[in-house]
Amino acid sequence: QVHLVESGGGLVQAGASLKLSCAPSERSIRFDTMGWFRQAPGKEREFVATTRRSGGTYYKESVKGRFTISRDITGNAVNLQMNSLKPEDTAVYYCAAAVNRIITSAVADQQMYQHWGQGTQVTVSS
């Protein structure tokens, strides 16, 4: 199990922006697929966005146009720029990674990701 180190969470008001970052503690490992999931209080963890070193970027429909995922290929880091935040975005955000390419039809399946971060809290107040 590789530790994924997350940063960037916080408490902001609606309409504000946050940028989350994630990188593996074991820097020698290169993941093809890296993304973000989130879990709101009392809710099931859900897919937010993912991207592949081998190509392809995918988003949960409700965050399209507001969130942007990007990959630092050389440094093996993944970022999530979150703009126009809404109270419903409040959740613990988890970084996730897979060594191999995850096929498009399965990118939202958390079971496809072998490595996870500890989660970082994002709270959006109204």
Side-chain angles (χ1 to χ4, degrees):
Q1 181 73 29
V2 176
H3 294 166
L4 302 179
V5 181
E6 299 151 317
S7 63
L11 193 160
V12 297
Q13 68 180 78
S17 297
L18 284 173
K19 184 178 181 179
L20 307 183
S21 297
C22 171
S25 58
E26 177 53 70
R27 303 283 177 157
S28 64
I29 295 179
R30 295 291 178 266
F31 300 110
D32 185 86
T33 312
M34 296 188 75
W36 295 89
F37 291 73
R38 68 187 183 187
Q39 186 168 24
K43 303 292 181 60
E44 191 172 333
R45 187 161 61 186
E46 66 178 3
F47 168 78
V48 177
T50 200
T51 189
R52 306 191 194 98
R53 189 192 302 270
S54 56
T57 299
Y58 310 91
Y59 295 94
K60 174 181 172 62
E61 187 66 31
S62 65
V63 309
K64 287 182 178 178
R66 299 189 298 120
F67 292 10
T68 302
I69 189 169
S70 61
R71 184 76 178 272
D72 182 343
I73 297 176
T74 301
N76 205 25
V78 64
N79 305 304
L80 186 68
Q81 177 66 50
M82 305 185 293
N83 298 326
S84 301
L85 283 163
K86 304 175 180 180
E88 51 262 47
D89 294 317
T90 295
V92 176
Y93 283 69
Y94 296 90
C95 179
V99 173
N100 302 123
R101 176 181 180 273
I102 299 174
I103 60 174
T104 301
S105 62
V107 294
D109 183 357
Q110 62 184 319
Q111 301 300 314
M112 301 298 292
Y113 298 79
Q114 297 88 38
H115 308 281
W116 293 82
Q118 80 290 341
T120 185
Q121 178 71 48
V122 171
T123 302
V124 185
S125 64
S126 59

